[in-house]
Amino acid sequence: MIKMINGGICAAKGFTAGGLHAGIKKDNSQKDLAMIYCEKKCRAAALFTTNKVKAAPILVSKNHLSDDTAQAIIVNSGNANACTGNGLEIAEKMCEITAEALGINKEDVIVASTGVIGQELSAEPFEKSIPVLSKQLGANEQSGNNAVEAIMTTDTFPKQYAAEFELDGKKCTIGAMAKGSGMIHPNMATMLAFITTDVNISHYLLERALCRLNELTFNSISVDGDTSTNDMVCIMSSGLSDNSEIVSVESEDFKGFVAALHEVMTYMAREMARDGEGATKLIECYIWNAPDDLSANSIAKSVISSSLVKAAIGAADANWGRILCAIGYAEGEFDINEVEVTLGSSKGRVTVCKNGTGVLFSEEEATAILSENEVEISIDLHHSANVAARAFGCDLTQEYVRINADYRS
Amino acid sequence: MIKMINGGICAAKGFTAGGLHAGIKKDNSQKDLAMIYCEKKCRAAALFTTNKVKAAPILVSKNHLSDDTAQAIIVNSGNANACTGNGLEIAEKMCEITAEALGINKEDVIVASTGVIGQELSAEPFEKSIPVLSKQLGANEQSGNNAVEAIMTTDTFPKQYAAEFELDGKKCTIGAMAKGSGMIHPNMATMLAFITTDVNISHYLLERALCRLNELTFNSISVDGDTSTNDMVCIMSSGLSDNSEIVSVESEDFKGFVAALHEVMTYMAREMARDGEGATKLIECYIWNAPDDLSANSIAKSVISSSLVKAAIGAADANWGRILCAIGYAEGEFDINEVEVTLGSSKGRVTVCKNGTGVLFSEEEATAILSENEVEISIDLHHSANVAARAFGCDLTQEYVRINADYRS
């Protein structure tokens, strides 16, 4: 049984965290520097943006993770540390100061940044604030809250989760924090997400679980089709839960760990989609009975990414022709004449299209269904191969445009 | 020399056109039915949407063009005649009634529709209005205006153009009309565009010119990333200009024809991008010194399609980091560290990024440049292969979302 608990990123044994205002964001009521620390060196795995433009912290973190271990994470918001002359120098410096303050090796520090691209950072806020922050780390709820607040940019609420479960008779925990919002599109480890666990697991299986679940969760989100330069998802395991080390992909313990991690990552993915820039609704697109994985995923992502579908759902308008249109330009081999589309929410379900053709439905009922803040688009391809997929998105509103028109000012 | 002239779709010898309100759109001050007719049977070529969902008129027109000839075009706006039970029946009916009214074969009629997807059309407005329209056809400017107005949906202005030039000592003409606006993305013969010419040219070369130039013009537009179910670009040549038939791809006459057609199609593509839904600006993205065509085109389209770039340009914000980010997730092999980005307009030019890194520039100057209603993003990859490309787009505004939130009502 997997149980939701409090504590976020600090919930797993061995981990502490904190966050404060270091002076990178102009508004000094806003935190902009977060630290996560583990009392022992962790096994660690991460996935990074596939954008050819990689921010400096991505390059430094990749390098520092080459030995598959890490002990701390330092993250700033307000500046992406990307595409500037001194980027690598600053990212290295952030790791050095963190390592010195915590008494660990700088190669065991993971660094991440999020915010505006192309503006130089100075080392000064880090020199001043990292030592202070390192002394404020805690394992209580407030410490986790401080850390997750410090990585927010246009996020309207913090995203964190923790789950408790048993493996090998031992209590185990996974905690997570993330930031999402704009520049989010399924093409890599999307956005910043940090996951901590006390499960004792081999590095190989830790990485394998992360990669596989990333495809089903973070890589299945689309907010605006823009793949960022700074995206990273990272997991650290302290092994402090005392379960005997998970080493086999066939073991019940591995399945249990994957189930718990899946729950945590799905929760975080849904929260990120829900909080897409300007969004008022979470949209989940389910594909049923597709001929193969490629078709299933490409249709789900095509529908969830369509500006026209997103704008219609935002206005609670059951303009299913746009859904069919977005299915039609997805990759993959499937028969459009078999497509059935159903819209759903807590207010009920209504089928709007069968055999690729519109069916009579109550517009009033459809509007009521689409007026909820969690909406589901179910697409059945009626293929005997029965492949399923899911993607997470949000509606497109005028607010998205307003936010992104003057982001730098 | 290519000269711009009046007359639009009726400018070329042999062609007449007209448009009226047939009752498909609710507002009876809005025209919704257009006809183009040629006094003799024409060589004709067309490109159709690559969307797997193809509207009924696309299927019928493809079929009718299988003999490479056509004599009339019938187009309605206000309803896409897509994804409904009676679509093929209605599209065939539109051709039949048109053929009967004009005294031609129904296989020589091309049919197109644009508007909302998934609502059934009835034959009644066509039965009533096509015979009336067929008697109103004319070759004067007003007739062309009526036709182009009748194909508009969310377009804010009609798009037409005509060019006069000489081939083989004879005066030749190309005319065009188009509708653009939403659901426009580079993946096929985008939107509805109709081109007429009196040039005498083999069908093979007519089609070849259309295909090649379509890649450089209509397929290089992106408004919103949605590839429609109804897109079509179609050219008809009457051969009435009396030039000796163009049969060789190497001939000066073919080059002259291609140059004139390129001018017409570029003009139309720019006008369609400029009038993207909610747009206030035309954005042209030029790629210079790319290693190959794939990279050049994919970078140009990636930049022009980025919601974040489009929102920034709309607000005259020189947020070049988003441009670099969009370059970074484009397909192709190129060195991001060689990238130079320059913003330009009639107000001047400013380089904002060199060697993949920001350079100092005057924000005030950049804002002045981006405040114009035609803006240029030039990207130099500094590769010795010197491949170039261009794409056409527009800014993203709150108005785009407003238009698409309640399109059906």
Side-chain angles (χ1 to χ4, degrees), chain B residues 311-329:
Chain B
I313 302 275
D317 180 9
N319 193 334
W320 58 269
R322 293 183 178 169
I323 297 171
L324 219 61
C325 175
I327 296 171
Y329 60 73

Side-chain angles (χ1 to χ4, degrees), chain B residues 90-110:
Chain B
I90 293 288
E92 293 281 10
K93 195 89 189 168
M94 287 170 72
C95 294
E96 268 167 43
I97 306 171
T98 303
E100 198 177 351
L102 296 170
I104 61 175
N105 293 325
K106 71 170 187 180
E107 287 78 16
D108 289 326
V109 180
I110 295 167

